[in-house]
Amino acid sequence: MSKVFIDGEAGTTGLQIRDRLQGMPQIQVLSIAPERRKDPEAKRELMAQSDLVILCLHDDAAIESVAMIDSMAGKKPRIIDASTAHRCNNTWAYGFPELCAEQAAAVGKADRVANPGCYATGAIAILRPLIDAGLLAADAAVSLPSVSGYSGGGRAMIEAYAKGEAPLHEAYALGLAHKHIPEIQRYTGLTRRPIFIPAVGNFEQGMLVQLPLHLDQLPGNPKASDLHDALVAHYASSAAQGGFVRVEPATTDGKLDATALNNTNQLEIRVFANEAQRHAVVIARLDNLGKGASGAAVQNLRLMLGL
């Protein structure tokens, strides 16, 4: 039985990870007493007993916890960091196992894994295959309008929606400097900074990440079916290995419910198009707390512990 400590288990992501681990008999979750959550020595004691530590903290606190593990004598626990702090760090494996053919193995053997951001997961899932296939230039001018449930916005936003004090739909980060942009660029191969426009809707969980495209401006002047086929080919190997990304046909009614994959670790990609106008939009759908956070962490844990 592997011992796992969730540093920050009282937060939204930590609670969902704990719930998912409760159903795994191979895992013993070590918990810190509520009155000792801010006691560094109590945290150090639990980390020393753990095979793996999952960090569900703000960036600065995650960096402090990693430093604490670095300072420990003897065998150190492996780490999954759900914060932004290490996602672009060369010494950490990026925890999107479906990224490419070798990524699941890289995660499995890593001692330190950076969990992807929720929006970044959807953006990378649709962009990386198209760039790898040569259907989208690395220097393309890309826009990514997206929407998430409010559960990804932290305690203050969750409380505002619970009290009925938040708007039904709100665009945010309109300074165009969202923290997910660096990892989107890094793991897609984009050389031109994308315009990322996130929004939050009045629903708890769920996410859509959209990539609008002018087909006649893409290399080789492809059809929408070419985009679909490239996505299918990219994810064929990970699907055979139990990956969670699926490429599906466009819906017949031209609609897509952002909440349909809630409480799963699935991510679905669809290509919608108007061939007469040479327009297309590629959309990733996921649960922002599933494949976008807690589900991804548990998927990475399974790979790291060989479960």
Side-chain angles (χ1 to χ4, degrees):
M1 182 176 289
S2 297
K3 295 180 179 180
V4 175
F5 171 54
I6 305 169
D7 190 2
E9 70 170 20
T12 305
T13 299
L15 287 171
Q16 286 231 352
I17 291 173
R18 184 181 177 84
D19 287 346
R20 291 169 187 258
L21 294 182
Q22 294 290 3
M24 297 173 60
Q26 316 98 315
I27 298 296
Q28 178 185 353
V29 178
L30 305 180
S31 289
I32 194 166
E35 67 274 11
R36 299 192 70 191
R37 279 187 185 140
K38 295 186 179 181
D39 181 348
E41 192 53 41
K43 183 187 294 190
R44 185 187 298 272
E45 290 171 6
L46 288 172
M47 287 178 169
Q49 300 174 43
S50 302
D51 299 293
L52 190 146
V53 172
I54 304 176
L55 306 178
C56 299
L57 306 165
H58 294 297
D59 288 7
D60 290 345
I63 292 168
E64 289 177 4
S65 287
V66 172
M68 181 180 291
I69 291 172
D70 285 340
S71 70
M72 293 167 53
K75 184 181 178 183
K76 299 175 174 61
R78 301 167 82 182
I79 308 171
I80 296 173
D81 182 10
S83 81
T84 311
H86 299 100
R87 290 175 186 162
C88 293
N89 187 317
N90 287 331
T91 65
W92 289 63
Y94 190 62
F96 184 24
E98 298 89 352
L99 179 68
C100 59
E102 305 82 18
Q103 198 65 20
V107 170
K109 68 183 182 182
D111 288 327
R112 301 186 174 194
V113 172
N115 227 45
C118 51
Y119 286 117
T121 298
I124 293 164
I126 56 182
L127 284 163
R128 175 67 178 261
L130 301 181
I131 292 173
D132 283 357
L135 293 172
L136 183 68
D139 64 351
V142 167
S143 295
L144 295 163
S146 307
V147 64
S148 174
Y150 60 77
S151 57
R155 180 171 297 174
M157 180 179 287
I158 293 171
E159 290 177 352
Y161 274 93
K163 295 175 181 177
E165 297 173 352
L168 294 179
H169 185 276
E170 183 177 43
Y172 67 100
L174 293 176
L176 305 180
H178 194 279
K179 64 181 182 178
H180 287 174
I181 293 175
E183 68 179 295
I184 292 172
Q185 278 197 264
R186 182 181 183 88
Y187 296 104
T188 59
L190 281 175
T191 58
R192 179 181 296 207
R193 184 180 176 88
I195 297 176
F196 173 49
I197 313 154
V200 61
N202 190 18
F203 51 94
E204 185 173 8
Q205 292 171 235
M207 174 170 283
L208 297 176
V209 180
Q210 304 170 78
L211 172 66
L213 296 168
H214 291 270
L215 294 172
D216 58 1
Q217 293 182 359
L218 300 184
N221 199 24
K223 296 181 179 179
S225 59
D226 296 321
L227 307 184
H228 175 90
D229 292 346
L231 290 160
V232 170
H234 186 93
Y235 291 110
S237 60
S238 67
Q241 298 170 17
F244 290 88
V245 177
R246 299 286 184 271
V247 183
E248 302 288 351
T251 57
T252 55
D253 62 0
K255 299 178 181 179
L256 204 60
D257 176 4
T259 68
L261 296 180
N262 284 2
N263 302 311
T264 77
N265 196 46
Q266 302 295 325
L267 187 155
E268 294 176 351
I269 303 174
R270 287 175 170 82
V271 181
F272 296 84
N274 181 331
E275 287 288 359
Q277 301 297 328
R278 303 295 288 140
H279 288 168
V281 58
V282 187
I283 304 180
R285 173 166 67 180
L286 64 155
D287 179 356
N288 60 294
L289 294 183
K291 186 61 170 164
S294 306
V298 175
Q299 181 184 358
N300 290 325
L301 174 146
R302 288 180 176 274
L303 288 168
M304 294 171 76
L305 298 179
L307 304 180

